[in-house]
Amino acid sequence: MAMKHAERHRTLASIEGPALDFMTRLDEVLCSWSAALGGQPRVYSPLLPVDKLHQSDHFSSFPHQATFAVSAAAEADNLKTFAADPVDGDGFLKTPALNPVRYCLTPGACYPIYLDLENQHLDEPLYLTVRSVCFRHETVTEALRRQPAFNMREIVCLGTSNEVSEFLAVLRPRVEALCAALGLDVTLQPATDPFFEPKHNSSYITQKLSMLKLEMQYQSDLAIGSINDHRQGFGTKFDIARGAEPAHSACVAFGLERWLYCMYDAHGPDAEAWPVAAADVSP
Amino acid sequence: MTSMRTRLRRHIATLAEVSEASIDDQTPILEDGYLDSANLLELIYLIEEMTDTELDLDEIQPEIFRNIDTICTHFGEQGS
C-alpha cells in the first residue's frame, strides 16, 4: 500500500501502483479542463529568483513559509569541515557557511508564470496549466495531508476582468462535479491564505473582505485545492497588460497528494476499487 | 463632533476619488469596487482610530464591511 513508506517517514510518501494511476488520471482530467479552454501546458523550474518573488510581496506576506535553495560556500576549509561532519545527532544539517542565496523553492505552481510574463501585453486571454513540486516550511508535517514538498496542478487564466470571471464560472462547477463523481465530501468555502501578521496586510484584508479565495474543503477539515481570484495583483506587480489595463488573473489549484489522502479516507486502501476520475464531469 | 457615518463617507470618497454625494449609507463599497487593497487597510485603521480599539481578525468580515450602515451597526456610532 502506498502509505507504508509514509508511515516510516512523516515527510515522504511513496505513491505507487493503483494510487499512482489514480493521481495520474486525476491530473490528466485537470489538464483536459485547461485544454478545453485552449490552455497550453507549461513546465517551469521550481527555483525562483528571490528578487522576482520579492516583487510579488511573497516574502512580506509569507516569510514563515519560505524555503530556499542553498549551497555551501566554496572555501576549502568550509567544505572540509562540512564534508567531515554534515549532520548532527538529531538529523539536522550542521549548516556551513553558505553562498549568497539566489533562488527560493517555489511555493506555488503558478508563480513562475507571472514572472515569465513580466512586461508583456496580452492580445487575448491566456490560459495555461502548470504542475510543479511546491515547497513550504511547515512546523508539523504529515504524509499526504501536510507535506513540505508536494505536487500542485494549477489551471490559470490571465485576461480582462470579464474573461477571468468567465474562466472561474466555468471551472467552479467542474470542481464540484468532479468531487461528487469521486464520492468526496467537499464544499467550497471562503478562505484566506496564511498571511504573516494578516491584519496589517492589505492583501489579506482584500482577500477576506472580497472573498477572493475559495477552498475545496474536504469534510470541512482539509483544503485539497483552491480557487483564487488575484484581480490585478500579479498584472500590476509584473506589468502584464491586457488591453489598456493591468491583466487580471486567477488560478484553480489542486494539491494532488491531498486528493489521494481524501480517496484513502473516503474509500479505503484498495485504490483499484476507487471511483475513476472521468474527464467528462461537466455539470 | 463629526459622526462616524460622516467620517466614513468622507474618508471613502477621498480614497475612492469620488464625490461624497455619490456615496450613501447603503452604497456597496466592496461590491462596487470603491476601495482597492491599500484603501481597505486605510479604512481598517480609520475604524480603529474612531473606536479606539484594535479590530479583531474575526471582525474583518464581508457582511460587516458591506456598506457604511453595516459598519456603523457593528462598530457603534462613535464619533470623534
Side-chain angles (χ1 to χ4, degrees), chain A residues 41 47 57-58 63 67 89 116 118 126 140 186 195 211 227 258:
Chain A
L47 299 184
D57 293 333
H58 183 80
T67 60
D116 190 29
E118 186 172 21
L126 181 61
V140 177
V186 171
F195 285 88
M211 291 192 286
I227 298 173
R258 287 186 172 185

Side-chain angles (χ1 to χ4, degrees), chain A residues 181-201:
Chain A
L182 293 176
L184 297 179
D185 173 19
V186 171
T187 53
L188 297 179
Q189 301 285 344
T192 52
D193 288 312
F195 285 88
F196 177 64
E197 297 186 334
K199 214 182 75 179
H200 303 290
N201 191 308

Side-chain angles (χ1 to χ4, degrees), chain A residues 188-231:
Chain A
L188 297 179
Q189 301 285 344
T192 52
D193 288 312
F195 285 88
F196 177 64
E197 297 186 334
K199 214 182 75 179
H200 303 290
N201 191 308
S202 59
S203 296
Y204 168 86
I205 304 290
T206 304
Q207 192 178 60
K208 184 153 185 193
L209 291 182
S210 301
M211 291 192 286
L212 300 181
K213 183 183 190 73
L214 291 174
E215 281 185 344
M216 306 167 200
Q217 284 278 349
Y218 173 66
Q219 296 187 340
S220 302
D221 172 52
L222 181 69
I224 62 172
S226 60
I227 298 173
N228 304 280
D229 183 347
H230 312 134
R231 292 197 170 164

Side-chain angles (χ1 to χ4, degrees), chain A residues 117 120-126 157-160 240-243 247-248:
Chain A
L117 293 174
Q120 291 194 31
H121 183 276
L122 306 176
D123 295 324
E124 54 187 14
L126 181 61
C157 171
L158 293 102
T160 63
I240 307 165
R242 172 82 179 103
H248 288 248

